Amino acid sequence: MSKPRKPKGRPVSGWLILDKPADFGSTEAVSKIKWLFNAQKAGHAGTLDPLASGMLPIALGDATKTVPYVMDGRKIYEFTVTWGEERSTDDLEGDVTQTSTARPTEEAIRALLPRYTGVISQVPPQFSAIKIAGERAYDLARDGETVDIPSREVEVHRLTLLKCEKDQAHFEVECGKGTYVRSLARDFGRDLGCYGHISLLRRTYVAPFAEETMVPLADLVALEKIEDRDERLAALDEFLIDTSEALAALPQIRVSEDQAHRLRMGNPIILRGRDAPVAEPEAVALAAGKLVAIGEIAGGEFHPRRVFT
């Protein structure tokens, strides 16, 4: 019987909050970070289009277990809509499909925004990762097919007009999971009778990570010049954020090292003390400030669902 293959790379864990440059794909960015950190595992929390720049949270090692919690968080984007053209991709990369010489007034734009705030119905772009009959919409669109994508409900918490120019308008939006900013631009243009597409897009926030935690890719690549491998990796690791930071919104309990050992073995523990929670559908267990497990509190016990080494 053959031995299981040893994973390549280091068992390094944590979050790297990358400031992704434009014209650089999200998958490409993850591969680059995984290589730089010599990490065994890596993944990202929410794709950014190649055209877009800004915050791309990348999980390394055990942090990949917390990706769903970050993907569900709120996001903030700054974006520019250029009027007069609708494009196949709803951004600069696509072919022009509709044109107009009309231009909206600032008053008309401001009057439109309340209609796009709150829970709204939105049709994703033709070039999107939505699956239609088991295939990605963008694959079908690249083959020349027009895809009938059903509308979906998304939530826009805040939508602000930052600046208005003759041919462009600049916005900031805070939105929930699944919101397509490209669709906002397309629908703005249609409602205003002038057509429009995204010409600039930058993500500045993915809950719970703040804008100041972003690290430019150039800063990481610059460390490649450090010849000593251990020194180079140690310098890179300084940019990592602890895995538990992704779970800041969940209730937290403190456990002893003995309890942590039981949890890591998959066993529940009894929570004692008058302040111990009786029931929580999802909570985090920490030992000496380090993440031990995500689990459920029921009947005065913590039951682990996902454990961390």
Side-chain angles (χ1 to χ4, degrees):
M1 185 175 180
S2 61
K3 293 182 179 180
R5 286 196 297 176
K6 186 178 180 181
K8 293 181 179 179
R10 299 188 298 151
V12 59
S13 293
W15 282 93
L16 187 283
I17 314 305
L18 182 68
D19 187 348
K20 185 188 82 67
D23 299 322
F24 198 67
S26 295
T27 301
E28 185 182 1
V30 172
S31 296
K32 181 68 174 179
I33 296 304
K34 183 181 179 183
W35 179 81
L36 280 171
F37 282 80
N38 189 29
Q40 288 180 358
K41 292 189 294 183
H44 65 74
T47 300
L48 268 182
D49 295 335
L51 173 76
S53 67
M55 186 176 289
L56 181 66
I58 296 177
L60 301 180
D62 263 1
T64 56
K65 298 176 184 177
T66 65
V67 163
Y69 299 90
V70 178
M71 291 189 72
D72 286 345
R74 293 190 183 193
K75 299 167 181 66
I76 296 177
Y77 298 87
E78 294 177 359
F79 64 102
T80 297
V81 180
T82 294
W83 309 118
E85 291 181 346
E86 186 169 304
R87 299 194 173 211
S88 58
T89 57
D90 300 318
D91 62 21
L92 270 177
E93 296 185 322
D95 298 326
V96 177
T97 56
Q98 301 282 356
T99 62
S100 173
T101 57
R103 296 294 182 269
T105 63
E106 181 174 341
E107 291 72 22
I109 296 171
R110 291 192 183 279
L112 181 68
L113 299 189
R115 291 166 51 184
Y116 286 90
T117 306
V119 177
I120 65 171
S121 180
Q122 183 183 77
V123 176
Q126 288 285 306
F127 285 81
S128 64
I130 302 295
K131 280 195 173 182
I132 305 295
E135 294 192 64
R136 299 290 185 186
Y138 54 64
D139 288 330
L140 298 171
R142 284 172 187 145
D143 291 338
E145 294 186 40
T146 299
V147 184
D148 184 17
I149 303 177
S151 64
R152 51 168 59 186
E153 285 193 345
V154 297
E155 188 166 9
V156 175
H157 304 282
R158 176 174 56 84
L159 181 57
T160 307
L161 176 63
L162 300 176
K163 187 168 69 171
C164 190
E165 300 170 311
K166 180 186 176 183
D167 294 321
Q168 295 183 327
H170 309 273
F171 301 88
E172 183 177 73
V173 63
E174 182 177 354
C175 55
K177 179 182 179 181
T179 306
Y180 279 93
V181 182
R182 285 182 290 144
S183 292
L184 290 177
R186 176 199 66 209
D187 294 342
F188 288 176
R190 290 178 180 178
D191 284 352
L192 292 166
C194 62
Y195 301 117
H197 64 274
I198 289 283
S199 53
L200 189 69
L201 179 61
R202 179 168 176 79
R203 187 160 67 192
T204 59
Y205 177 74
V206 178
F209 303 117
E211 186 173 4
E212 55 267 24
T213 62
M214 282 196 287
V215 182
L217 180 61
D219 288 3
L220 301 171
V221 172
L223 296 177
E224 291 185 65
K225 66 184 180 184
I226 301 176
E227 294 183 3
D228 183 271
R229 179 180 180 275
D230 291 341
E231 184 182 345
R232 182 174 67 255
L233 292 174
L236 286 165
D237 289 350
E238 289 293 318
F239 289 106
L240 292 179
I241 294 175
D242 192 81
T243 300
S244 62
E245 292 295 318
L247 307 170
L250 296 181
Q252 298 182 352
I253 62 167
R254 310 291 168 178
V255 300
S256 67
E257 289 299 336
D258 286 344
Q259 290 175 314
H261 178 71
R262 283 188 55 82
L263 291 173
R264 290 191 179 108
M265 297 295 290
N267 299 313
I269 59 170
I270 297 173
L271 302 178
R272 304 185 185 278
R274 64 180 184 178
D275 296 327
V278 176
E280 288 286 354
E282 210 160 32
V284 174
L286 300 166
K290 293 297 182 181
L291 180 60
V292 176
I294 303 170
E296 176 188 12
I297 299 174
E301 291 186 332
F302 183 94
H303 297 263
R305 289 177 180 163
R306 292 184 178 180
V307 297
F308 299 80
T309 56

